Amino acid sequence: MTEPAVQVPGMGTVHHLDDHRPTPSAEPVTLVKDPAPAPTSPPLKVVPQGSRIVRTGRAVRRVALHERTRSTARFTVRHGMYVVGGGRIVARRAWEGRTAARYERMLRAAEAAGNLELATEWEERGQRFRAARHQRRMDLLSAPVKAAKGAAAGLGITAGGLLLLGIILAVANENFADLATPTLALIELIRWIVVIITVVWGPLVILGPWAALLALWGVGRHQQAAPQWVLPSRPADVGAPITPSVVVTALRDLGIAPMRKAVKEMGDAGAAMLGPIRIAGCGVEVDVTLPSGVATDEVQKRRRKLAENLNRHEHEVFITIPQAARTVRLWIADSGALDEPIGPSPLVLDEAVTADYKKGKAPWGRTLRGDAAELSAYQRHVLITGRSNQGKTAAMRSFALWLALDPSVQFWIADLKGVGDWSMFDGIADVLIEGPSDDHVVQATEMVEAAVDEMNRRIEARHGDPHAVFSPLIVNVDEAQVAFMCPVVDKEKRPYGGAKATSRYFMAVRKIHNQGRAVDVLMWQGTQDPTDQNLPKLVREGAHTRASLVLGTESQARMALGDKAVDDGAAPQQLRQGLDRGTLVVASDGIDMPSGQSSITVRTHYLTDEQAVQVAERAKALRNGVTTLHAVERGEERDPLTDIMTILGDAPRVLTTDVLKRLTMLSEDAYGKWSHLDLKRVLDGTGAEPYKSHGRVVVGRERLAAHLANRDTEGSASAAE
């Protein structure tokens, strides 16, 4: 059956596939999805008023508890309380300055501690204060009358002076009107002063209260006068707490095989090695009994590793050797504690501090335990050494300033640095030499030699009177290495410096070290970086009190403190350059230290130049006016060779014995103590040395004359031309 066909223009005949009917036109196709019908909006919901208040409260609470808000609040309260606390501190200081409140407080503290002697001392100080205050108040009663008289006298003198000046001007200018010119000038000056005050007064009134508040804020901030909860948080101790297990583990891991083996074999894991851990100042202290086969110096040599095992820096661990055998004593500081200041010196805090050379001790500083470190000066030669700019002069000066408060003590001082560190002793010291030159070294040497003469005079007086008492004499040479290294030679060819028996400075110091303390003539020296050249062995070992700041090597530490102290743990070479300024390792029987130790570490109080001057002024007030010499008085300058030529006369030769006698007759002061060795030393190298003639030693005139002739020619101006 034939399919019906449909004629479509342009396409020919189209047949329907199903029912032979024409195909209907197709619907257009689109790829875009029809949009969904818009949803119906729900009805508005009414929010209850209570819910909005709750949300607001929560928001306010979040803002109030936010860390930024709390920090701002703490900041505001802290600085406000600084002002309040500063005002309270200033008021308390003013009150204590005007009343006896401080003395009463210290009296109660002494009574509470059971120290009746100290309580009595504070009671006496309070009575003296009240008596002085009463006298001041009595003086105030007569002050108005004195002020009125003074004002009247001043007014009369001023008026008379102006009139006299006016008369002089009138006569000079031949003008009677000039008689009032000075008075009118004074009136004009007063007017300008009033104008200036009027202009400045307004800003001062406005700024004055703010300046006062700023000052109170500064005091409060310095004293941290605010509640603890508003103060800025400080970092906690970063070091681990020191427990027995920490100490044993640190020792076990030192790298000492017998130590590790012994700890492993101990049933108590090494606890038997440790004594009790005791609180000691700003740290703890523990004694460690080492196992057999472990030497104490093996632990000492591993100080840095031990400190790191204990979670500390090297300078925070100190190892000393107590009396017990095979035992080391560890002192372990709290982290960062040694970087905190120790506070001002009692010499500054208490103007009533006094000194006693024989029985007293200087408040020098504090030990690592935090105890007061007090040093005795009685019959002890002193040597302080260390690197430059580490506090050597400051430590020695604070010791001397305390001793200066005893008016019976005399000072002869040579400051061979010469920058004014000891200038406040002008008016305290009988001799004060300041300067680094060779001439200053000569002066210092002659000062020490004069001290030797004074020592000998005292010894001779003691022979006549065994009970004779002398004023203590402190001979202090700061920067003594300058004296030992001085190359100058005197006319007798004896060097001032050097470390040999020919050195004048060296021999003078040795003589004082040998016999000075018996008659209270004491030698104090400060020197840098000790060596055998700038600090001879015989000199350094003659000091009874030896102290050292930071040094470079262990060999220098042995020179400074001695082998015994270093072998027992003294280690100034392990102090920190710059950071441990003013910290000394001290070896002396004049300072209290734990039993069995041969040295102790002291952090000395630092006195600024201004504070040193204040203490020096108090010392001067205790003395009856001291005239300080800035150069040692020298005797008559003589030329030994010329004097020898003079006493030879016309004789061709003279016996050396006769030469000495004639020199003594010529000048007892210069040649009275000469011996044949002195004569030989002067003539050595001249060509006129003593020689034998007919079996006797003589001095030849012609030989000496030839030498003098050559010397004069060499030193003349004509020869130079």
Side-chain angles (χ1 to χ4, degrees):
M1 187 174 176
T2 306
E3 296 180 357
V6 179
Q7 291 293 327
V8 179
M11 297 183 60
T13 303
V14 177
H15 299 277
H16 197 282
L17 298 178
D18 294 335
D19 52 1
H20 308 288
R21 290 178 296 179
T23 303
S25 300
E27 292 290 333
V29 179
T30 179
L31 299 178
V32 180
K33 185 178 180 181
D34 293 336
T40 305
S41 300
L44 294 176
K45 183 178 180 180
V46 180
V47 179
Q49 187 68 22
S51 300
R52 183 175 299 171
I53 295 174
V54 169
R55 288 199 301 273
T56 303
R58 289 175 178 172
V60 172
R61 183 174 180 272
R62 283 197 302 271
V63 172
L65 296 180
H66 195 275
E67 182 60 31
R68 182 175 298 175
T69 305
R70 297 170 66 182
S71 300
T72 303
R74 283 197 300 267
F75 177 85
T76 304
V77 175
R78 177 168 69 249
H79 289 276
M81 291 304 296
Y82 281 163
V83 177
V84 176
R88 185 176 64 252
I89 293 171
V90 171
R92 186 176 68 248
R93 290 175 179 174
W95 174 258
E96 290 186 349
R98 301 291 298 175
T99 67
R102 184 180 70 155
Y103 301 95
E104 295 292 340
R105 185 176 71 253
M106 300 303 294
L107 175 60
R108 290 193 298 270
E111 289 177 343
N115 192 338
L116 298 182
E117 182 179 354
L118 184 60
T120 302
E121 181 180 350
W122 279 110
E123 184 177 10
E124 292 176 355
R125 291 184 182 182
Q127 291 175 355
R128 290 196 298 268
F129 171 81
R130 293 186 183 93
R133 182 180 60 184
H134 176 73
Q135 184 61 41
R136 289 194 300 270
R137 290 175 177 175
M138 291 297 100
D139 292 340
L140 287 176
L141 296 178
S142 59
V145 177
K146 294 180 180 179
K149 292 180 179 179
L155 181 61
I157 293 172
T158 303
L162 292 174
L163 180 60
L164 179 61
L165 183 59
I167 293 172
I168 294 173
L169 289 175
V171 172
N173 298 331
E174 297 181 355
N175 186 359
F176 183 77
D178 287 342
L179 191 65
T181 300
T183 304
L184 294 176
L186 178 61
I187 294 173
E188 183 67 13
L189 176 62
I190 295 173
R191 187 181 73 82
W192 276 107
I193 292 175
V194 172
V195 170
I196 293 173
I197 293 176
T198 304
V199 174
V200 176
W201 181 254
L204 286 179
V205 171
I206 296 173
L207 297 177
W210 294 104
L213 287 177
L214 183 62
L216 294 177
W217 173 84
V219 174
R221 181 176 179 273
H222 180 71
Q223 298 291 334
Q224 295 290 288
Q228 191 66 33
W229 62 274
V230 300
L231 292 177
S233 58
R234 298 181 62 184
D237 186 3
V238 297
I242 302 301
T243 62
S245 61
V246 170
V247 177
V248 171
T249 303
L251 292 169
R252 182 197 65 193
D253 296 338
L254 276 181
I256 304 175
M259 176 85 77
R260 174 180 289 275
K261 181 178 179 181
V263 171
K264 287 183 177 180
E265 293 177 352
M266 288 182 182
D268 55 3
M273 294 192 304
L274 306 183
I277 298 178
R278 304 176 295 272
I279 300 295
C282 55
V284 297
E285 187 177 73
V286 58
D287 286 351
V288 181
T289 303
L290 302 177
S292 178
V294 181
T296 55
D297 62 339
E298 292 182 276
V299 178
Q300 286 181 299
K301 293 175 182 177
R302 291 170 171 80
R303 178 187 174 193
R304 173 175 292 182
K305 190 171 185 178
L306 177 61
E308 293 173 350
N309 290 347
L310 293 168
N311 294 315
R312 295 293 190 272
H313 295 292
E314 182 180 10
H315 71 274
E316 294 175 333
V317 175
F318 286 82
I319 307 172
T320 54
I321 310 298
Q323 284 183 329
R326 216 174 66 243
T327 302
V328 293
R329 177 169 294 162
L330 307 180
W331 185 85
I332 307 160
D334 299 333
S335 292
L338 296 183
D339 296 325
E340 297 293 331
I342 64 172
S345 169
L347 295 178
V348 177
L349 294 177
D350 188 358
E351 294 186 359
V353 169
T354 59
D356 187 335
Y357 162 76
K358 187 173 183 179
K359 299 179 181 179
K361 289 188 175 183
W364 209 25
R366 293 200 171 273
T367 66
L368 296 179
R369 289 170 164 265
D371 300 328
E374 298 179 331
L375 182 64
S376 172
Y378 179 62
Q379 292 189 345
R380 291 178 176 88
H381 303 301
V382 177
L383 171 65
I384 299 180
T385 187
R387 284 184 172 176
S388 176
N389 196 31
Q390 296 303 301
K392 167 179 55 61
T393 297
M396 181 180 291
R397 188 177 67 182
S398 65
F399 188 25
L401 283 170
W402 170 81
L403 193 56
L405 295 175
D406 183 346
S408 67
V409 179
Q410 297 176 283
F411 288 92
W412 294 3
I413 299 174
D415 175 16
L416 297 182
K417 184 188 297 181
V419 294
D421 289 337
W422 294 88
S423 60
M424 69 287 302
F425 276 80
D426 194 345
I428 298 176
D430 296 302
V431 179
L432 178 59
I433 299 168
E434 296 178 287
S437 68
D438 290 342
D439 185 61
H440 291 102
V441 173
V442 171
Q443 288 283 329
T445 302
E446 292 176 348
M447 179 190 76
V448 180
E449 290 176 337
V452 173
D453 294 338
E454 171 65 14
M455 175 189 72
N456 293 332
R457 184 192 66 78
R458 294 184 178 191
I459 293 174
E460 292 177 3
R462 182 68 61 83
H463 290 161
D465 181 6
H467 302 290
V469 178
F470 309 101
S471 297
L473 172 58
I474 306 299
V475 184
N476 183 1
V477 179
D478 195 11
E479 305 297 342
Q481 76 279 355
V482 178
F484 283 111
M485 302 298 289
C486 179
V488 177
V489 179
D490 64 11
K491 293 182 178 181
E492 300 177 6
K493 297 187 178 181
R494 293 182 58 193
Y496 285 92
K500 298 181 179 179
T502 55
S503 167
R504 291 179 59 176
Y505 180 80
F506 171 79
M507 290 305 298
V509 172
R510 283 296 300 145
K511 290 175 182 178
I512 294 178
H513 278 177
N514 290 338
Q515 295 178 291
R517 65 185 298 270
V519 288
D520 291 316
V521 176
L522 304 179
M523 191 74 209
W524 290 13
Q525 293 183 98
T527 183
Q528 296 180 14
D529 290 335
T531 64
D532 286 329
Q533 288 72 37
N534 63 25
L535 188 60
K537 180 178 181 180
L538 292 178
V539 170
R540 61 182 185 249
E541 291 186 350
H544 304 95
T545 294
R546 301 168 70 172
S548 176
L549 296 106
V550 58
L551 291 172
T553 63
E554 181 180 326
S555 62
Q556 288 183 325
R558 293 184 180 275
M559 293 180 185
L561 300 175
D563 293 337
K564 171 64 176 174
V566 174
D567 290 340
D568 288 349
Q573 74 276 10
Q574 294 180 349
L575 295 173
R576 298 170 296 169
Q577 176 87 13
L579 297 177
D580 288 327
R581 184 177 290 124
T583 300
L584 297 101
V585 182
V586 185
S588 172
D589 60 350
I591 191 170
D592 294 333
M593 64 181 68
S595 177
Q597 290 187 198
S598 56
S599 67
I600 190 169
T601 301
V602 176
R603 302 173 69 195
T604 57
H605 294 295
Y606 174 68
L607 274 72
T608 64
D609 290 343
E610 293 77 9
Q611 293 171 341
V613 169
Q614 293 173 5
V615 178
E617 291 299 324
R618 300 209 309 264
K620 293 176 186 177
L622 299 174
R623 298 168 184 261
N624 296 324
V626 176
T627 301
T628 300
L629 300 178
H630 293 277
V632 177
E633 295 182 356
R634 302 178 180 178
E636 181 184 0
E637 293 289 342
R638 305 196 68 92
D639 183 356
L641 295 179
T642 302
D643 288 344
I644 294 173
M645 189 65 189
T646 300
I647 59 98
L648 289 178
D650 297 331
R653 65 186 68 84
V654 177
L655 295 176
T656 54
T657 304
D658 293 337
V659 170
L660 291 175
K661 290 180 181 179
R662 294 178 185 181
L663 286 174
T664 302
M665 294 175 62
L666 182 64
S667 176
E668 174 71 25
D669 293 336
Y671 306 115
K673 297 181 180 180
W674 268 36
S675 65
H676 289 83
L677 291 177
D678 295 313
L679 181 61
K680 181 178 183 300
R681 182 178 64 251
V682 170
L683 294 175
D684 279 347
T686 64
E689 294 86 351
Y691 63 96
K692 283 189 176 182
S693 175
H694 303 287
R696 306 185 71 179
V697 182
V698 298
V699 176
R701 182 181 181 281
E702 291 184 2
R703 297 182 181 183
L704 183 56
H707 171 73
L708 290 176
N710 292 334
R711 186 182 68 172
D712 294 341
T713 302
E714 292 172 359
S716 66
S718 60
E721 295 175 358

